[in-house]
Amino acid sequence: MLVAFNKPFGVLCQFSGEGDTLANYIDLKNIYPAGRLDKDSEGLLLLTDDGKLQHKIAHPKFDKEKTYIVQVDGQITPEAVAQLAKGVSLKDGLTKPAKAKIINTPDWLWDRNPPVRFRKNIPTSWLELKITEGKNRQVRRMTAHLGFPTLRLIRTQIGDWSLTNINPGCYEPL
C-alpha cells in the first residue's frame, strides 16, 4: 500500500508521541512515512507498508527528485538562484546542484495556520526547488546561507508522485 498525505504545518511525521501527529489524520494501520518533513514544513508525505519501497523512496542513494515550493524572506536574486543550481556549501558539505527557478505565488496555495508573518517593508518571493538529497533541513539551510531565510516550505512532488488535488490534512491511496 502507498498513501499520499498532505501534511499541514505543525504536524509531526510520526504516529505516536506528544503534539499533533499523523495519528490525528490517518486511520490506516501498519503504514510508515517514507522520509520526513519537519514540523514547520507542509505538503507531500508518502507512507507505505512496504519496507523495500519505503527504502527506495527515502534513501538518498536512489536520487529520488523532490520538488519544493519555497517562500523566502526578501526578493530572491538571479545570483542566488544560480548558486542553488551550482550547490551550496553547508557545514556538512556541498549540496548537490539543485534545479531552481523564481516563480510567482502559486494560485493553488492554501492558507497556512498560523499564517506566515507579514512585514510591510520587506518583500517575500517564491521559488521552485528540486533536489535529490535529503540532508536535515536542507532547503531551509540552503536559502538561509544565501541570505534568504525560508518562511514557508511546501513539498509538492517526490519522483513521479505529486500532491495534486489533496487538501491539507487529507490522504489518498495511490
Side-chain angles (χ1 to χ4, degrees), residues 6-9 42-43 108-112 152 154-156 163 166-168:
N6 187 345
K7 186 188 95 56
F9 178 86
E42 306 165 72
W108 50 261
L109 195 62
W110 56 83
D111 291 335
R112 192 185 87 173
R152 190 169 182 191
I154 304 167
R155 184 164 57 199
T156 59
L163 194 59
I166 303 173
N167 291 322

Side-chain angles (χ1 to χ4, degrees), residues 95-166:
T95 65
K96 288 183 180 179
K99 295 176 186 171
K101 65 181 180 180
I102 298 170
I103 61 171
N104 293 324
T105 304
D107 58 1
W108 50 261
L109 195 62
W110 56 83
D111 291 335
R112 192 185 87 173
N113 186 15
V116 171
R117 74 172 188 271
F118 174 76
R119 295 190 297 185
K120 187 176 178 182
N121 297 321
I122 299 177
T124 66
S125 50
W126 289 87
L127 64 140
E128 179 185 81
L129 196 61
K130 296 181 181 210
I131 62 173
T132 56
E133 299 175 287
K135 296 179 186 223
N136 186 41
R137 298 178 68 87
Q138 180 175 340
V139 171
R140 292 177 186 283
R141 292 189 300 137
M142 289 169 70
T143 63
H145 181 81
L146 298 173
F148 301 95
T150 294
L151 298 173
R152 190 169 182 191
L153 181 63
I154 304 167
R155 184 164 57 199
T156 59
Q157 192 163 344
I158 301 170
D160 294 330
W161 299 291
S162 71
L163 194 59
T164 309
N165 299 323
I166 303 173

Side-chain angles (χ1 to χ4, degrees), residues 10-161:
V11 175
L12 298 171
C13 285
Q14 60 196 38
F15 280 94
S16 60
E18 298 290 318
D20 199 7
T21 67
L22 298 174
N24 294 330
Y25 301 88
I26 301 171
D27 57 2
L28 302 172
K29 301 292 179 205
N30 301 317
I31 63 169
Y32 303 94
R36 296 184 104 44
L37 271 177
D38 64 40
K39 181 179 176 181
D40 299 332
S41 299
E42 306 165 72
L44 181 62
L45 180 67
L46 296 175
L47 300 102
T48 183
D49 61 354
D50 181 334
K52 288 181 182 177
L53 178 60
Q54 181 183 27
H55 182 69
K56 281 185 176 179
I57 293 168
H59 199 284
K61 78 176 184 181
F62 294 104
D63 285 335
K64 195 68 75 185
E65 188 174 75
K66 295 171 252 351
T67 303
Y68 297 88
I69 303 300
V70 188
Q71 182 182 23
V72 296
D73 208 3
Q75 191 63 50
I76 192 124
T77 63
E79 295 80 17
V81 172
Q83 188 62 54
L84 291 166
K86 288 181 193 171
V88 177
S89 184
L90 302 175
K91 287 182 181 178
D92 53 351
L94 184 67
T95 65
K96 288 183 180 179
K99 295 176 186 171
K101 65 181 180 180
I102 298 170
I103 61 171
N104 293 324
T105 304
D107 58 1
W108 50 261
L109 195 62
W110 56 83
D111 291 335
R112 192 185 87 173
N113 186 15
V116 171
R117 74 172 188 271
F118 174 76
R119 295 190 297 185
K120 187 176 178 182
N121 297 321
I122 299 177
T124 66
S125 50
W126 289 87
L127 64 140
E128 179 185 81
L129 196 61
K130 296 181 181 210
I131 62 173
T132 56
E133 299 175 287
K135 296 179 186 223
N136 186 41
R137 298 178 68 87
Q138 180 175 340
V139 171
R140 292 177 186 283
R141 292 189 300 137
M142 289 169 70
T143 63
H145 181 81
L146 298 173
F148 301 95
T150 294
L151 298 173
R152 190 169 182 191
L153 181 63
I154 304 167
R155 184 164 57 199
T156 59
Q157 192 163 344
I158 301 170
D160 294 330
W161 299 291

